[in-house]
Structures are given as structure tokens and as C-alpha cells.
Amino acid sequence: MISSTARLPAFATALGRRFRPSSSTTRVLARAMSTAPQPSSSQHVVIDRYTTSPPPTASASASSAARLPNDVHLRNAIYEDEEAREMGGVTATVRHDWTKQEIADIYSLPFHELMYRASTVHRMYWDPSEVQQCTLLSIKTGGCTEDCSYCSQSTRHKTFVKPTPTMKVQEVLEAARKAKEAGSTRFCMGAAWRELGNKKNAFGHILEMVRGVNGMGLEVCCTLGMLNAEQARQLKEAGLSAYNHNLDTSPEHYPNVITTRSYEDRLQTIANVRDAGISVCCGGILGLGEQEADRVGLLHVLATLPEHPESVPINALVAVDGTPLGDADEIDLVDAFDMARMIATARIVMPRTMVRLSAGRLSFSHAEQYLMFQAGANSIFNGDKLLTTDNPEFDEDRAMFDKFGFRGKPAHKGPLVAPAESTGQVHITRVQAPKQEYA
């Protein structure tokens, strides 16, 4: 039986929200961007379609102050019975069964239509005025044995980067303190090596760094190459919030970029991080000589993981002289429209994931960056360096935020409830299986 009922979730009660039942008693759901199977009339499910609305006495500003849990798993659990959201003629849903063709169809939409859909999806799930600010510090630079064809830190390439030893714990903590004072709320530490392996002494220092940064009230992220399950568990215990391990490109194009580490190696590290309860940060790089099909392929891998990454960084290649890709004349430059198209598609197929505007941001004007935020980006790296490449300085980003009317997401606090949700603009469909009855 299919019916329309009004139901008040426990979390909504905590926020003081009320829900109006739809007057329709039939299921009407235009799947503009979803091909999830429709339940047949023989299935015993309850379709609950309602319009969100604030309490009668609550102002819009009071409603927008409500926050979701910071833990991505708790946040997703709140919406586990939610099937779809609809606003402005656009329907969105969190899915893990996307096909490449479906993602390709979205990616290939006319730019104006893609931007409208992505911006609408963004507003259905997020407060578009809140942007997470992250700072990345290279705690061990150069000397990496990998052959990543874009990387200036590889020993196989002759670049400007000179190998340096791992930074001292106190040096890292001082850098974290300065990042916090400048407005950053997530501090990321990167080390140039293939894997942690048996680096017990270095790993011990890194655990100390994680504890120290976490103790400052900052969220902590690391990118340390491949991890095994035990190392991931220890990082979680030390207070690590997230772990970055990019896939870079599609499985098909990957061997053209890197040969010293397999795609499966990367997926295994992501699984180890996820199983340890650490948030996954995983994305890719545009400008590696890939085709549009490879960009779609990367998004397909990310969107069909057992859990969508908490954040997906989208990077534009910063070509470095001395690297194979930096010296290649045939590699096309990545423009703002390439970035916006990739960000917009990621936003549509992974609605609850933060999409991070990452390396290469310095090459784009404020107007071009605004285009990317409109496409669905809601996180940035700030500070003057991203590992070894230049990045906009804190003061410049602060001025940009003021210009756009943005505010930074606080550390250790979940994202704001989307104003479109709290003010009644979003139609939400939930599906609930009935309780099992026994004779």
C-alpha cells in the first residue's frame, strides 16, 4: 500500500521544526537526476512526502543557526530513510548505484542547465554561505620514490624542490596555531613518501602532532601515502578527523600518470581509513592529459564507493618544470569552466559531500572562483602554500569571503542546516518499511 503521511523525525523535533503533509495521496516524484528503481504497488512501504517549514515563532536567522552533527556518519544516519529532495523543478538523491552513462549525461549538460541543477542541489543540502577553510602544511618535503608525473617532489624528476627532513613537532604546532589565528578550522599535514610502512619513529612524531593540533580545537587531516589498518586505527585514536588519499584520475588513465602504485593500492588505503572511522577526503586532478571520459570515470568511482567521501577535492594541475606533465606541450590548460563543470557534476552525484576547491586556485580570479562556488564548492585550502605550490594568502581569502558574503565553518561543528530546508522550500520524500508483525 502506498500512502502519504506526516511524520516528525526525532532530529527535526530537536530543531523545533514542523512538517506539513502533502495533500497528494499518490507518489509524484520527477526523477530529473535519478534512476533509482520505483517501488512496485506490491511492496509494503510507506512514502512520506512533506514540505519542511520553520516553527511559527522562529525567524529565518534563528532557523539557519541550527547545525547537523559534525561526524559524517551520524549526519548521514539522520537521513538514512530519505529517498529524495525536490526544489525548483530539480530532484536530487544520495545514491551509490550511478552508472557511468548517467554521470556522463549530467557532465555533458549545457553549461547553464548544469549550473542551475548543481546550484539548486547545493542549496537543498547545504547553506551556500558557509565554506570550510583548510590549511595544508608539508611536514616532509621532497625525496619521494614514486613516479607521479605531475609531482615536483619525486626523486625521479629534476625540479626546484630540495628534500627536507620531517619537521619537528613544535614547528608543526606553531604553524597550526598561526593557521587557526588566520581563520582556518582544519589543519592538514602532508608527507612526501609512498607509504608509512615501517617508519615507526616518524609515525610516532606524527601521532604526537595529531594530538597537539587536535588539542588546539582544530580538526586534523593527514595525507601520508598508503596506510595499513593498524596505522589508521592509531591515527583515529590520536584524534585524526580526516585522511586525504586522492585517486587522481580514472582507473583507465591512471597507468599513464603513475606506475609505482596501483589504483587498487589507493582504494585499499581508502577502505582502511573508512573502516577505522576516519572521514575520507578523496578527489582528483584536472589537467593530467585525461579525456572528459576520464573525469566522468573518476566521479563514477567516487560516487559508487560504499560511502561517499566526506570531502572531494578538485584540483587543477599546477605544472612544474622538470616533471613529465610540466614539460609536456600537448597538455591542455584547465580553465574555470572545466573546474566548474567537474565541481557541479560532483555536487549533483554526491549531494552530501563537501566539494573542495583545491590546488590551482591561485590561477583563477575571484569572479572565476565565485563560478565554482555557485557550482557547489563549499570548502577551500587557504594559506600561501599547498605542499610546494603557491596558494592565495589568508588576507586575500578573507577579502574574497567578505565580497561574496561567505563565512567560515567552525571547527568541530557540523554544517548548518540548509536555509532552503528550514524555510520550507524543499520537498522531502522518505521511504519507511513497516514493522514486521508476527502471529
Side-chain angles (χ1 to χ4, degrees):
M1 181 186 302
I2 299 178
S3 63
S4 177
T5 62
R7 188 166 61 86
L8 190 65
F11 180 71
T13 303
L15 296 179
R17 294 186 283 152
R18 298 189 308 168
F19 305 98
R20 296 195 300 270
S22 170
S23 58
S24 171
T25 58
T26 61
R27 182 182 185 182
V28 181
L29 181 59
R31 293 195 171 270
M33 297 178 300
S34 171
T35 58
Q38 305 280 337
S40 68
S41 58
S42 62
Q43 289 179 305
H44 296 288
V45 296
V46 176
I47 306 299
D48 178 13
R49 191 171 188 272
Y50 59 89
T51 302
T52 59
S53 63
T57 57
S59 65
S61 60
S63 298
S64 65
R67 290 189 178 275
L68 296 166
N70 192 43
D71 185 285
V72 66
H73 304 99
L74 295 177
R75 196 158 67 237
N76 290 339
I78 293 167
Y79 300 105
E80 62 183 354
D81 63 346
E82 182 179 300
E83 182 174 289
R85 293 191 169 204
E86 183 181 356
M87 184 175 76
V90 174
T91 301
T93 185
V94 177
R95 295 173 48 194
H96 301 268
D97 61 349
W98 292 96
T99 66
K100 279 189 182 181
Q101 188 58 55
E102 288 175 320
I103 297 176
D105 290 344
I106 294 169
Y107 183 90
S108 302
L109 284 169
F111 190 73
H112 70 89
E113 178 64 21
L114 176 63
M115 287 293 291
Y116 172 72
R117 292 194 189 187
S119 183
T120 303
V121 171
H122 189 46
R123 282 156 174 74
M124 277 195 270
Y125 289 88
W126 300 89
D127 183 332
S129 71
E130 185 173 69
V131 177
Q132 183 190 52
Q133 299 172 90
C134 311
T135 297
L136 178 59
L137 175 70
S138 179
I139 62 172
K140 192 272 177 186
T141 303
C144 182
T145 59
E146 297 269 46
D147 69 351
C148 306
S149 56
Y150 54 81
C151 187
S152 62
Q153 303 196 64
S154 172
T155 57
R156 300 166 188 249
H157 313 319
K158 293 182 179 180
T159 69
F160 69 93
V161 174
K162 303 302 180 185
T164 60
T166 305
M167 292 177 65
K168 304 295 185 184
V169 173
Q170 289 307 313
E171 292 176 329
V172 172
L173 297 183
E174 177 62 17
R177 183 188 62 77
K178 290 179 179 178
K180 181 179 180 180
E181 290 175 353
S184 237
T185 57
R186 177 174 285 190
F187 190 75
C188 305
M189 299 176 286
W193 52 49
R194 182 173 188 270
E195 59 186 337
L196 269 174
N198 294 319
K199 302 176 181 69
K200 294 182 180 180
N201 189 49
F203 187 42
H205 290 158
I206 289 170
L207 293 175
E208 191 175 346
M209 294 172 191
V210 171
R211 295 186 192 100
V213 175
N214 187 49
M216 295 180 187
L218 289 168
E219 295 178 9
V220 198
C221 176
C222 282
T223 177
L224 310 169
M226 292 188 291
L227 288 181
N228 60 40
E230 175 58 22
Q231 290 164 339
R233 185 192 65 77
Q234 290 184 54
L235 285 166
K236 173 66 175 177
E237 285 186 354
L240 191 70
S241 308
Y243 193 85
N244 169 259
H245 200 64
N246 288 336
L247 292 174
D248 291 345
T249 187
S250 70
E252 293 79 12
H253 186 58
Y254 183 85
N256 300 321
V257 180
I258 304 160
T259 65
T260 51
R261 186 192 317 184
S262 73
Y263 212 78
E264 283 302 319
D265 288 337
R266 291 180 182 262
L267 290 173
Q268 184 58 57
T269 292
I270 292 168
N272 291 338
V273 169
R274 184 176 60 240
D275 292 346
I278 299 170
S279 295
V280 172
C281 171
C282 183
I285 307 171
L286 305 190
L288 303 180
E290 77 280 358
Q291 303 299 312
E292 288 190 340
D294 295 306
R295 297 176 183 179
V296 169
L298 168 63
L299 291 174
H300 179 253
V301 174
L302 295 171
T304 55
L305 289 171
E307 296 177 9
H308 290 166
E310 181 231 19
S311 56
V312 170
I314 304 297
N315 301 272
L317 175 68
V318 179
V320 177
D321 290 342
T323 64
L325 286 174
D327 295 340
D329 295 331
E330 68 275 12
I331 299 298
D332 293 331
L333 294 177
V334 175
D335 64 24
F337 292 97
D338 293 322
M339 291 290 287
R341 187 171 287 278
M342 190 70 170
I343 289 167
T345 308
R347 170 54 63 222
I348 291 169
V349 300
M350 293 174 283
R352 293 199 183 281
T353 289
M354 283 190 173
V355 181
R356 183 168 298 120
L357 181 53
S358 300
R361 192 162 64 87
L362 185 65
S363 64
F364 300 113
S365 68
H366 282 186
E368 290 173 322
Q369 290 183 58
Y370 183 73
L371 181 70
M372 299 171 205
F373 288 119
Q374 285 294 97
N378 58 348
S379 178
I380 62 169
F381 275 119
N382 55 16
D384 61 354
K385 286 286 184 184
L386 279 185
L387 295 181
T388 61
T389 60
D390 291 337
N391 197 53
E393 295 186 0
F394 288 112
D395 289 346
E396 183 179 342
D397 283 334
R398 188 178 294 113
M400 183 181 70
F401 270 42
D402 290 342
K403 184 185 299 183
F404 296 165
F406 289 167
R407 53 185 164 179
K409 175 186 173 294
H412 295 297
K413 290 188 177 181
L416 291 166
V417 174
E421 178 182 350
S422 60
T423 56
Q425 302 174 56
V426 181
H427 300 274
I428 299 176
T429 299
R430 296 181 185 272
V431 177
Q432 181 182 22
K435 294 180 180 180
Q436 187 71 40
E437 295 182 3
Y438 298 93

